[in-house]
Coordinates of all heavy atoms in Angstrom, one line a residue:
R191 N 110.9 96.6 68.7 CA 110.5 96.3 67.3 C 109.0 96.7 67.1 O 108.2 96.7 68.0 CB 110.9 94.8 67.1 CG 109.8 93.7 67.5 CD 109.2 93.9 68.7 NE 108.2 92.8 69.2 CZ 106.9 92.8 69.2 NH1 106.2 93.8 68.7 NH2 106.3 91.7 69.6
A193 N 106.0 95.5 64.7 CA 105.7 94.3 64.0 C 104.4 94.2 63.3 O 103.5 93.6 63.7 CB 105.9 93.1 65.0
P194 N 104.2 95.1 62.4 CA 102.9 95.1 61.7 C 102.6 93.9 60.8 O 103.5 93.3 60.3 CB 102.8 96.3 60.8 CG 104.3 96.6 60.5 CD 105.1 96.0 61.7
S195 N 101.2 93.6 60.6 CA 100.9 92.5 59.7 C 100.4 93.2 58.5 O 99.6 94.1 58.5 CB 99.7 91.6 60.3 OG 100.1 91.1 61.5
E223 N 104.9 90.7 59.9 CA 104.3 89.5 60.4 C 103.3 89.0 59.3 O 102.2 89.2 59.4 CB 103.7 89.8 61.8 CG 104.7 90.4 62.7 CD 104.5 89.9 64.1 OE1 103.3 89.8 64.7 OE2 105.5 89.6 64.9
Y374 N 100.5 83.2 65.5 CA 101.1 84.5 66.0 C 101.8 84.2 67.2 O 103.0 84.8 67.3 CB 99.8 85.4 66.3 CG 100.1 86.5 67.3 CD1 101.0 87.4 66.9 CD2 99.6 86.5 68.5 CE1 101.4 88.4 67.8 CE2 100.0 87.6 69.4 CZ 100.9 88.6 69.0 OH 101.3 89.5 69.9
V378 N 105.8 85.1 67.1 CA 106.2 86.4 67.7 C 107.2 86.2 68.9 O 108.1 86.9 69.1 CB 105.0 87.1 68.3 CG1 104.7 86.9 69.7 CG2 104.9 88.4 67.9
T391 N 107.0 96.3 72.8 CA 106.1 97.4 73.0 C 105.0 97.0 72.0 O 105.2 96.6 70.9 CB 106.6 98.8 72.6 OG1 106.8 98.8 71.3 CG2 107.8 99.2 73.4
R392 N 103.8 97.1 72.5 CA 102.5 96.9 71.5 C 101.4 97.4 72.3 O 101.3 97.7 73.6 CB 102.5 95.5 71.3 CG 102.3 94.5 72.4 CD 102.4 93.1 71.9 NE 102.6 92.1 73.0 CZ 103.1 90.9 72.9 NH1 103.7 90.5 71.8 NH2 103.2 90.2 74.0
L396 N 96.9 93.4 73.1 CA 97.6 92.3 73.2 C 98.3 92.0 74.4 O 99.1 91.0 74.6 CB 98.8 92.4 72.0 CG 98.2 92.2 70.6 CD1 99.3 92.5 69.7 CD2 97.6 90.8 70.4
Ligands
LIG87 N1 101.5 91.6 64.2 C1 100.7 92.1 65.3 C2 99.6 93.1 64.8 O1 99.9 93.6 63.8 C3 101.5 92.8 66.5 C4 102.5 91.7 67.0 C5 103.1 92.3 68.3 O2 103.5 93.4 68.4 O3 103.2 91.4 69.1 O4 98.8 93.3 65.5

Side-chain angles (χ1 to χ4, degrees):
R191 81 327 186 251
S195 304
E223 303 218 319
Y374 160 65
V378 102
T391 68
R392 58 186 170 210
L396 286 168

